[in-house]
Amino acid sequence: MESVIVAIDGPSGTGKSSTSKAVAAKLGLSYLDTGAQYRAITWWMLRNGVDVADPAAIAAAAGKPEIVSGTDPAAPTITVDGTDVAAPIRTQEVTSKVSAVSAVPEVRHVITELQRSIARAAGEGIVVEGRDIGTTVLPDADLKIFLTASPEARAARRSGELKGKEASDLAATRQALVARDAADSGRKTSPLAKADDAVEVDTTDLSLQQVVECVVTLVEEKRAGR
């Protein structure tokens, strides 16, 4: 099969990670979760006492951590300075700070260059998921997908693995998602946006399997059309 680069963007809770991993596995491609890299650098900042409310302090430290991403869709890994951070980067502390850290231009430059180098090294092709992949990181990607879903559906997915949680928790999750959208869409450097040539897929009423089948079909059509 000819190498193919697939960019999958969209806000939190639209199914980006599950879709991207499944599509990559089905098509024998590498997989990259770019959001994990921004979480990793945020975790490092917090761990090393960098004031994440101070953009200048963040910028000064942006090039210090060594972030390594494994690209096997069946078992993606991420380390910072040799430490496995797959679990700690998912804490609420990191989640609450990642937008502020990732908005700093120096951070975006460092991580964007890392992402491009990983994509270039993926000989068989790669599925890259994030928020600015089709617009900034890989504007020449072979196929660009932008996943959307209603805020209610996204909140239900994000907290719904939370069986038995109160309605107030769901409302809080929805509020957090909307706030994250506003922060990501409103930042000056590489905001969350749909690329002009991206295919939009609304996942609100679709199962994961249906979304995966849709994206796989789009990739196969793109390959066939070359």
Side-chain angles (χ1 to χ4, degrees):
M1 277 288 191
E2 193 173 351
S3 176
V4 63
I5 293 178
V6 182
I8 299 185
D9 290 309
S12 300
T14 54
K16 286 198 312 290
S17 293
S18 299
T19 298
S20 299
K21 280 187 279 193
V23 169
K26 194 161 187 175
L27 294 173
L29 305 175
S30 295
Y31 159 76
L32 178 61
D33 175 1
T34 63
Q37 295 175 320
Y38 284 106
R39 285 176 172 273
I41 199 168
T42 301
W43 174 87
W44 185 92
M45 299 276 178
L46 294 168
R47 178 85 176 259
N48 287 274
V50 177
D51 182 359
V52 295
D54 180 356
I58 295 171
K64 294 181 179 180
E66 181 185 10
I67 299 170
V68 177
S69 297
T71 57
D72 178 356
T77 57
I78 186 159
T79 63
V80 180
D81 297 336
T83 299
D84 179 358
V85 294
I89 64 172
R90 302 296 172 181
T91 62
Q92 184 54 43
E93 181 186 24
V94 171
T95 298
S96 66
K97 305 297 184 186
V98 67
S99 282
V101 173
S102 62
V104 175
E106 289 80 0
V107 169
R108 298 207 75 82
H109 175 74
V110 167
I111 299 297
T112 294
E113 289 306 308
L114 175 60
Q115 292 161 1
R116 287 174 177 162
S117 69
I118 292 170
R120 285 194 298 266
E124 75 281 23
I126 191 168
V127 178
V128 184
E129 61 139 311
R131 288 172 169 74
D132 66 339
I133 310 306
T135 53
T136 300
V137 180
L138 300 169
D140 296 323
D142 299 297
L143 176 65
K144 301 174 188 177
I145 307 288
F146 192 85
L147 299 184
T148 63
S150 70
E152 292 74 22
R154 291 165 53 209
R157 288 170 187 162
R158 230 344 117 83
S159 37
E161 305 115 23
L162 314 168
K163 290 180 180 159
K165 286 287 182 179
E166 301 288 336
S168 58
D169 293 314
L170 187 59
T173 300
R174 183 186 184 282
Q175 186 175 11
L177 286 173
V178 171
R180 176 77 191 272
D181 290 351
D184 289 347
S185 301
R187 65 173 176 246
K188 291 182 180 178
T189 304
S190 301
L192 165 67
K194 175 188 170 187
D196 291 339
D197 54 347
V199 179
E200 184 170 325
V201 178
D202 189 334
T203 69
T204 302
D205 298 315
L206 299 178
S207 67
L208 173 60
Q209 183 178 352
Q210 288 173 318
V211 178
V212 171
E213 288 174 354
C214 174
V215 175
V216 166
T217 298
L218 288 168
V219 174
E220 290 175 338
E221 287 176 349
K222 176 62 69 173
R223 277 176 160 168
R226 285 182 173 179

